[in-house]
Amino acid sequence: MSTKVASFTESVIREMTRLSDAHGAVNLSQGLPDFPCPPELKEAAAAAVDGDRNQYPTTFGESALRTAIAAKTARVYPGWTVDPETELCVTCGATEAMVATMLALVEPGDEVILFEPHYENYGPDTVLAGARPVYVPLRRPDWTIDEDALRAAFSPRTRAIVVNTPHNPTGKVFSRAELDLIAELCQRHDTLCVTDEIYEHIQFLGPGGHIPPATVPGLADRTVTINSLSKTYAVTGWRVGWTIAPEWATRAIRTVHDFLTVGAPTPLQAAGVTAMELPATYYTDLAEHYRELRDTLCPALADLGFELREPDGAYYVLCGTGAFDRDRDDVAFVRRLVTEIGVAAVPGSSFYADPAQGADLVRFAFPKRQDTLRAAIERLSDLR
Ligand code: PLP
């Protein structure tokens, strides 16, 4: 095993899913929907397979999909123009997009700033590029940026900062003021902004609530925007994502992507074109649907005694467990939830480099049918 890999701690999320299956628990651990994707997408994927679209795609993405992503981006964010020929690379999900970006643009010995808590891939992605993660805490209870800590985190070795908005696991949506601060620091320290916006359409602040960092003055020419079909269209298994970045960065990302995976599945890229062409109402309905799911789960959790801040976006709620877990042992608490209560969740320590920081937290995911959430709530009421 390489020393890089030996430094990774294995995700407990997979263990929770195994335990969940073994105990017949309601699985609110992993962020995947238990409802179908839009029927138009299934038809488009089936038609592409029927039409024998079975061979390697253009490595950096089929032209029709790149064109459709650029058009949809301009439609949703007027003023943001993306050249599909030079500024887009289609990848195998946001996961590959992030690894390819790090390998393409970060040097061994560089530092990459990550907010904590964070989606658990960012640390390993940074390490795979030979760089060192530098963590900046988001402060409870509102998960705000500590400006002094962020300023202090920048050094001459800082190559990139990773933003994730809307944010997994906290549900935070980065504000204009926070993004302006990040823009100021990125310019001052000549740093890249790598932003994961896979939950862009799942936000509850209304129109304009989500601000893509690439549209913030000072960031356009130094931002890599990562996105994917996974969450917006409920197709986490399709593995189609993309990067939008300036031409010089895209050239490097495409080169790495070519060696990593060659390309994302051809027929599912064809279905991606259909996804990009869905009407604006699809996105308003999507946000409303997730708002209803949030409003089913969060008040019930608060009522039981979990401490929480309602998420403004994404489809998770990160809760304090102080009322139930005096020992601050999140892994034992979550194990008990699965085996005795029958609900699977993710221990908070999964989202921190120092597990102690998240030892009194647990994350529940709500991309689930209403009856799934109600079954979970009924079981959780045994915690009383
Ligand atoms: N980024 C974030 C913040 C996520 O929460 C997830 C999945 O949960 C991913 C990326 C993975 O995205 P993809 O399925 O496109 O690889």
Side-chain angles (χ1 to χ4, degrees):
M1 189 184 281
S2 77
T3 46
K4 283 178 186 167
V5 175
S7 74
F8 300 168
T9 45
E10 216 221 316
S11 156
V12 265
I13 298 183
R14 280 185 287 281
E15 186 201 339
M16 287 309 148
T17 295
R18 271 196 307 272
L19 263 186
S20 177
D21 291 346
H23 289 267
V26 180
N27 193 347
L28 303 191
S29 63
Q30 270 180 307
L32 48 96
D34 68 350
F35 43 79
C37 76
E40 302 94 311
L41 269 65
K42 289 193 256 192
E43 285 156 22
V49 173
D50 273 347
D52 269 325
R53 304 279 304 276
N54 299 323
Q55 309 311 325
Y56 295 125
T58 304
T59 56
F60 48 85
E62 293 285 84
S63 169
L65 179 57
R66 281 183 286 110
T67 304
I69 293 170
K72 185 237 169 199
T73 304
R75 222 167 35 242
V76 176
Y77 306 106
W80 185 4
T81 53
V82 177
D83 182 347
E85 293 310 315
T86 58
E87 296 178 332
L88 253 160
C89 180
V90 175
T91 58
C92 295
T95 302
E96 193 225 338
M98 184 60 82
V99 178
T101 299
M102 293 278 189
L103 293 174
L105 302 176
V106 171
E107 293 282 9
D110 283 349
E111 292 173 359
V112 174
I113 296 176
L114 304 177
F115 291 104
E116 263 198 324
H118 58 78
Y119 175 58
E120 50 175 6
N121 284 32
Y122 303 150
D125 291 342
T126 304
V127 171
L128 286 174
R132 191 172 77 82
V134 173
Y135 297 99
V136 173
L138 296 172
R139 296 260 178 243
R140 304 190 207 185
D142 291 337
W143 308 109
T144 44
I145 295 177
D146 179 332
E147 182 173 337
D148 292 339
L150 182 59
R151 286 186 186 282
F154 279 81
S155 86
R157 307 200 82 137
T158 307
R159 174 64 63 115
I161 179 168
V162 175
V163 174
N164 168 214
T165 182
H167 186 252
N168 173 9
T170 64
K172 172 189 178 66
V173 175
F174 282 62
S175 69
R176 163 68 62 179
E178 289 171 327
L179 294 174
D180 283 342
L181 171 65
I182 290 167
E184 177 212 316
L185 292 168
C186 284
Q187 289 171 95
R188 175 172 308 165
H189 297 277
D190 193 16
T191 300
L192 280 169
C193 175
V194 180
T195 162
D196 178 342
E197 292 169 51
I198 173 166
Y199 299 102
E200 69 178 320
H201 292 291
I202 304 175
Q203 60 91 13
F204 317 117
L205 297 174
H210 168 66
I211 303 166
T215 65
V216 172
L219 282 181
D221 59 350
R222 55 177 69 250
T223 295
V224 179
T225 304
I226 288 173
N227 213 322
S228 122
L229 298 182
S230 287
K231 311 291 179 172
T232 305
Y233 307 100
V235 288
T236 58
W238 281 18
R239 318 308 306 132
V240 179
W242 59 90
T243 59
I244 296 173
E247 182 174 354
W248 59 269
T250 298
R251 217 177 303 125
I253 292 166
R254 285 179 175 183
T255 304
V256 174
H257 159 75
D258 195 1
F259 289 118
L260 274 180
T261 61
V262 178
T266 309
L268 302 178
Q269 290 197 41
V273 175
T274 303
M276 293 303 127
E277 290 169 353
L278 289 175
T281 49
Y282 174 78
Y283 303 100
T284 39
D285 291 351
L286 180 82
E288 191 46 38
H289 173 62
Y290 278 107
R291 179 201 293 279
E292 284 167 10
L293 297 174
R294 176 193 73 168
D295 292 349
T296 296
L297 184 64
C298 293
L301 291 175
D303 197 40
L304 282 169
F306 286 100
E307 303 133 29
L308 60 93
R309 182 191 181 283
E310 281 209 336
D312 289 330
Y315 50 45
Y316 308 96
V317 58
L318 191 62
C319 303
T321 57
F324 312 104
D325 180 25
R326 294 249 158 69
D327 301 334
R328 287 177 51 101
D329 183 344
D330 59 325
V331 176
F333 177 70
V334 167
R335 252 190 217 122
R336 194 154 61 81
L337 273 189
V338 180
T339 57
E340 293 174 22
I341 304 288
V343 175
V346 177
S349 53
S350 309
F351 307 106
Y352 288 88
D354 169 13
Q357 297 293 316
D360 61 336
L361 294 169
V362 62
R363 188 197 77 177
F364 295 98
F366 56 83
K368 305 294 169 189
R369 296 189 308 266
Q370 285 283 1
D371 56 346
T372 307
L373 294 181
R374 278 195 289 270
I377 291 164
E378 196 178 313
R379 290 177 178 205
L380 286 168
S381 64
D382 286 351
L383 280 171
R384 286 190 207 278

